[in-house]
Amino acid sequence: MRFNRILLSSALVVVALVIQVSVLARLHLPGAVPDLLLLTVLGLAMVYGHVGGALVGFGAGLLADLAPPADHAAGRYALVLCVTGYFAGLIRPENGRLKSATGPMAVVVAAAIGSTLLYAGVGALVGDTAARHVGLPGLLISAALYDLLLAPFVVPAIMWLARRADNDPLTETGPAAKAGDVTSGWLSSGTGLRIGNQRGGLGVLKAKARTRTTRVGRIKGVKRL
């Protein structure tokens, strides 16, 4: 990974973990705790791809495993976020633009449910049966609901920062950037350059070509005289 990617990812992961531990975990909401760290990994993975998503997920999960008040085996959440970041990175669009919010929101729900199941499964393998006592169905529903409500405010901002740090042309200012902004797929039904603008550009090129042809014809006529 590039140095700017590592620096940005580290800063975002640390901030997300601090907010999750010091604020979200103390809200004492029923069921699961809103997973801000998971949403941060998802946002970075959908910009950096599956390899970068897996690396960011592993680092973020390992930091969460070691940070207090963690009460589980080290490496457990690192495995969960590594797998989640890898699969989230696979849905990154080739052209860098998300055409609707349906796909990303579905990814958030799938990641919330999948990470909870994987975390509980790994815990069962190492002898941690806390999920059974709490109630796994309640954890799945609450985790998906909390992350789904929080995602529109977190994931687009994370993706925008990641592209900004990469000096991606899609984040440059101007009409083209507004039309091709990857984060606008969360709030609108479509993005990308408009066909009308493309036709207007072709019309300008044709007009210039006609003007040049007329000038050449005039010059040739003068030479003949």
Side-chain angles (χ1 to χ4, degrees), residues 115-168:
S115 61
T116 304
L117 288 175
L118 184 58
Y119 185 83
V122 175
L125 292 177
V126 297
D128 184 3
T129 59
R132 296 180 181 178
H133 301 289
V134 176
L136 187 57
L139 286 177
L140 294 176
I141 296 175
S142 58
L145 179 60
Y146 296 153
D147 291 347
L148 191 61
L149 294 176
L150 196 60
F153 305 98
V154 177
V155 179
I158 297 295
M159 296 176 69
W160 182 83
L161 288 173
R163 290 202 173 280
R164 193 74 177 178
D166 268 357
N167 296 321
D168 195 303

Side-chain angles (χ1 to χ4, degrees), residues 24-162:
L24 298 179
R26 297 185 179 183
L27 295 178
H28 301 293
L29 297 173
V33 176
D35 201 339
L36 185 61
L37 195 61
L38 173 65
L39 297 178
T40 302
V41 172
L42 290 178
L44 294 174
M46 285 190 283
V47 175
Y48 296 157
H50 60 284
V51 176
L55 293 175
V56 172
F58 179 80
L62 187 61
L63 183 62
D65 288 333
L66 300 177
D71 56 354
H72 54 267
R76 181 176 171 184
Y77 201 47
L79 174 62
V80 172
L81 288 187
C82 180
V83 174
T84 304
Y86 177 85
F87 283 104
L90 293 177
I91 62 99
R92 182 185 65 168
E94 295 295 334
N95 58 358
R97 291 187 290 270
L98 298 174
K99 294 184 178 181
S100 69
T102 305
M105 297 303 277
V107 171
V108 171
V109 174
I113 296 176
S115 61
T116 304
L117 288 175
L118 184 58
Y119 185 83
V122 175
L125 292 177
V126 297
D128 184 3
T129 59
R132 296 180 181 178
H133 301 289
V134 176
L136 187 57
L139 286 177
L140 294 176
I141 296 175
S142 58
L145 179 60
Y146 296 153
D147 291 347
L148 191 61
L149 294 176
L150 196 60
F153 305 98
V154 177
V155 179
I158 297 295
M159 296 176 69
W160 182 83
L161 288 173

Side-chain angles (χ1 to χ4, degrees), residues 1-48:
M1 295 179 67
R2 301 174 184 176
F3 177 75
N4 55 350
R5 288 187 174 186
I6 297 175
L7 187 62
L8 177 65
S9 301
S10 302
L12 292 176
V13 165
V14 170
V15 171
L17 181 60
V18 170
I19 295 176
Q20 182 169 327
V21 172
S22 60
V23 178
L24 298 179
R26 297 185 179 183
L27 295 178
H28 301 293
L29 297 173
V33 176
D35 201 339
L36 185 61
L37 195 61
L38 173 65
L39 297 178
T40 302
V41 172
L42 290 178
L44 294 174
M46 285 190 283
V47 175
Y48 296 157

Side-chain angles (χ1 to χ4, degrees), residues 188-214:
S188 63
S189 59
T191 57
L193 296 176
R194 296 180 180 177
I195 302 300
N197 293 339
Q198 293 178 355
R199 291 178 180 175
L202 293 176
V204 173
L205 293 176
K206 290 180 180 180
K208 290 182 178 180
R210 291 174 183 173
T211 303
R212 292 177 182 176
T213 304
T214 304

